[in-house]
Amino acid sequence: MEICLNKDINTVVEVLENSIAEELEIQVGDEILSINGQKIKDIIDYKYLISDEYIDLEIKKTNGDLVVYEIEKDYDEDLGLVFSNPLIDEAKSCSNNCIFCFINQLPKNMRETLYFKDDDSRLSFLQGNFITLTNMSEEEIQRIIDLRISPINVSVHTTNPELRKQMLRNINAGKILDILQAFDQAHLEINCQIVVIPDINDKEELEKTLRDLYNLKNSVHSVAIVPVGLTGHREGLPKLKGYDKDLAIEIIDQVEDLQGEFLKDSGSRFAFLADEFYILADRDLPADEAYEGYPQIENGVGLVRNFSEEVNLALRDLEVSYKEAEMTFVTGTLAKDFMEDIRKRILKKFPKYKINVKAIENDFFGRSITVAGLVTGGDIIKQVADVDAYKNILIPSVMLRAQSDYFLDDVTLDQLENALDRRVLVTEVDGEKFIKLLAEV
Ligand code: SF4
């Protein structure tokens, strides 16, 4: 495999092994000029144009030669080319100023890229990002329909036009239902998310939104309902209320009633609540089958139930081991009881292990932020150093930025290990891999 760091957007930076491109000896640094005579505007054009069985690929080689490759391939076979920018274009930034935007609530002086607000349909299609559809022209909406760009993840929040304009602080935000109806007629696959805020888009507003989305039966497959996240850095931002135990109980009862109705009508619960509501309410999480294949697990919907089931399965297949080891599980305060429960289950199979759980209070973002994914290295250093932490510290990979060794506050894994003078192990949020890692410590 060849890799280079050339930043030209349509320049090849990697040729995948055993691919058509490798067979044709296309090389890193070659530049794609056109496919079937058409220039490529972005990744959507590229994917669309290469989906043919016969394509003419025009390339400018690194020595300046122009070459046209005539390629015959299977209908949806990839060429095996990777570009420096996965979009083959600049990402579109968002045109909203949502009252609940997490980026507006970040502490100052964080890495600049963390403040970039993307809202790009192509990133939704490629990486599953949620988009609001507020920064797209009619032509761009039509392009999604014509090229059948799907699945798309849409941040709806509410279908009430006026309320949506207020929540997103964008006068263009009110047309969401019209756009979704157009997608519905085209049978595109859509998954939606609602960030719910007490006294803003909950109760009757939430019910109306869910019913509107449910009526888009050709396209909307699932809706995730997630609670607003409020950090301690909201100076100058609108006053919002977060979720507490009573409010969490209320929304669970409301949504579970609707789920029952949808299930009876269509065979699917359709709308799913984030794990956080159940943990806040001190209610049992829904059963594995109630998540219907976990369509919104990336959104924190069913993550805990899925992990728990995976741990059970992995432990079931293990013999009792009398090996000795010691470790501290580090998590956010939300998952403390859950991890205590996992600890007890593990000790039945590893009775000689010493395990404790350390839940980190989030001083970096504010103590109302309780999820493990937003725990920072600095807070771990401050809070774990003082307790009786064991030789091995286990952290979930969600605490680190994607494919990196950095926490959100730029502390690195090495710095954490040095500061704590302990070995730090990173585990994926995958019960089988987690147990495998534990067994190997
Ligand atoms: S869409 Fe709203 S929440 Fe998302 S980045 Fe833009 S302003 Fe923030």
Side-chain angles (χ1 to χ4, degrees):
M1 193 192 306
E2 294 181 87
I3 298 181
C4 92
L5 294 174
N6 192 318
K7 293 293 178 229
D8 281 350
I9 259 159
N10 57 346
T11 299
V12 175
V13 291
E14 189 179 337
V15 176
L16 300 181
E17 278 172 25
N18 305 321
S19 65
I20 293 173
E22 188 183 59
E23 200 180 309
L24 293 173
E25 297 182 1
I26 295 174
Q27 286 165 338
V28 165
D30 288 354
E31 202 183 324
I32 310 293
L33 297 183
S34 70
I35 296 175
N36 295 342
Q38 292 194 42
K39 293 225 174 310
I40 311 157
K41 208 162 76 186
D42 61 13
I43 188 67
I44 302 301
D45 270 355
Y46 175 74
K47 292 243 178 220
Y48 177 68
L49 290 167
I50 66 158
S51 65
D52 250 340
E53 286 167 310
Y54 302 96
I55 61 172
D56 290 340
L57 177 68
E58 187 189 11
I59 284 200
K60 186 174 171 193
K61 303 293 289 179
T62 43
N63 62 6
D65 286 355
L66 295 186
V67 183
V68 177
Y69 296 92
E70 291 179 3
I71 301 170
E72 187 180 343
K73 64 177 196 56
D74 289 339
Y75 175 67
D76 46 11
E77 194 178 356
D78 188 34
L79 297 182
L81 295 174
V82 180
F83 302 95
S84 59
N85 180 332
L87 288 182
I88 323 183
D89 194 9
E90 296 304 331
K92 247 184 168 183
S93 65
C94 110
S95 59
N96 311 313
N97 185 16
C98 300
I99 53 173
F100 53 87
C101 180
F102 199 81
I103 296 172
N104 290 346
Q105 307 175 58
L106 292 177
K108 309 263 177 301
N109 304 322
M110 292 179 72
R111 188 175 285 217
E112 207 176 310
T113 50
L114 294 174
Y115 297 99
F116 179 67
K117 300 176 175 181
D118 75 73
D119 196 8
D120 195 309
S121 58
R122 299 163 300 184
L123 287 175
S124 183
F125 169 62
L126 287 174
Q127 301 175 0
N129 297 18
F130 276 86
I131 55 170
T132 62
L133 300 166
T134 55
N135 58 355
M136 300 183 75
S137 63
E138 281 179 21
E139 290 71 37
E140 286 169 315
I141 298 284
Q142 193 56 45
R143 183 173 178 238
I144 289 186
I145 294 170
D146 293 344
L147 301 186
R148 308 203 51 76
I149 298 166
S150 166
I152 299 185
N153 292 337
V154 181
S155 286
V156 175
H157 310 314
T158 175
T159 50
N160 174 337
E162 286 312 310
L163 180 59
R164 194 166 192 260
K165 285 187 213 170
Q166 288 163 25
M167 289 181 73
L168 276 62
R169 294 195 280 191
N170 182 342
I171 49 164
N172 297 320
K175 287 175 282 184
I176 186 70
L177 209 46
D178 297 339
I179 300 174
L180 290 178
Q181 273 158 354
F183 289 168
D184 193 58
Q185 276 166 18
H187 291 239
L188 300 185
E189 183 185 333
I190 310 288
N191 291 295
C192 297
Q193 120 176 311
I194 296 172
V195 173
V196 70
I197 311 172
D199 300 337
I200 304 268
N201 60 338
D202 60 342
K203 301 189 180 113
E204 298 80 23
E205 291 291 349
L206 177 64
E207 174 163 349
K208 183 178 178 311
T209 300
L210 288 175
R211 289 192 186 281
D212 284 344
L213 297 175
Y214 183 72
N215 287 333
L216 301 171
K217 288 194 168 70
N218 296 325
S219 55
V220 180
H221 287 213
S222 69
V223 181
I225 303 159
V226 301
V228 63
L230 302 175
T231 75
H233 304 267
R234 292 193 54 83
E235 304 81 31
L237 297 174
K239 269 208 167 356
L240 299 179
K241 192 157 126 186
Y243 273 87
D244 59 16
K245 183 172 180 178
D246 290 343
L247 288 169
I249 290 172
E250 209 174 296
I251 195 170
I252 291 172
D253 289 343
Q254 179 192 14
V255 172
E256 286 192 345
D257 278 355
L258 282 167
Q259 283 182 327
E261 186 186 318
F262 296 150
L263 185 65
K264 215 162 145 194
D265 181 58
S266 67
S268 167
R269 290 163 186 80
F270 181 69
F272 302 90
L273 286 158
D275 300 348
E276 211 171 324
F277 289 116
Y278 287 92
I279 300 173
L280 265 178
D282 210 6
R283 286 262 184 101
D284 285 345
L285 289 156
D288 184 41
E289 60 274 14
Y291 286 104
E292 301 179 13
Y294 300 94
Q296 298 250 11
I297 197 161
E298 305 284 340
N299 225 339
V301 179
L303 198 70
V304 176
R305 167 60 68 203
N306 188 49
F307 183 74
S308 173
E309 295 292 311
E310 287 170 347
V311 166
N312 283 350
L313 274 180
L315 287 174
R316 193 194 61 190
D317 297 339
L318 279 182
E319 297 286 320
V320 173
S321 160
Y322 292 96
K323 197 178 142 189
E324 293 184 10
E326 50 179 61
M327 64 200 72
T328 295
F329 297 161
V330 171
T331 184
T333 51
L334 189 73
K336 181 173 191 293
D337 292 347
F338 171 68
M339 288 310 292
E340 286 285 2
D341 181 51
I342 294 276
R343 171 187 162 270
K344 285 180 199 148
R345 285 188 240 166
I346 291 167
L347 288 176
K348 287 188 184 151
K349 286 283 172 153
F350 297 94
K352 296 214 154 186
Y353 271 30
K354 287 183 187 160
I355 305 175
N356 62 5
V357 175
K358 177 65 187 166
I360 303 295
E361 294 280 0
N362 201 321
D363 290 327
F364 188 81
F365 288 108
R367 291 203 169 193
S368 54
I369 299 295
T370 56
V371 294
L374 293 172
V375 167
T376 56
D379 281 345
I380 301 177
I381 291 170
K382 273 189 258 145
Q383 295 174 41
V384 170
D386 299 330
V387 300
D388 185 21
Y390 288 125
K391 268 194 265 173
N392 298 293
I393 305 277
L394 251 78
I395 64 158
S397 55
V398 290
M399 286 182 186
L400 302 173
R401 290 194 206 143
Q403 280 129 33
S404 87
D405 284 354
Y406 287 89
F407 289 86
L408 283 168
D409 60 353
D410 274 349
V411 169
T412 64
L413 276 178
D414 279 350
Q415 287 170 328
L416 183 66
E417 287 202 322
N418 291 336
L420 299 181
D421 194 21
R422 289 168 174 90
R423 181 163 73 139
V424 177
L425 301 165
V426 181
T427 166
E428 286 177 47
V429 187
D430 173 315
E432 196 185 332
K433 289 184 182 157
F434 173 67
I435 295 298
K436 194 161 174 261
L437 181 70
L438 286 185
E440 286 167 0
V441 167

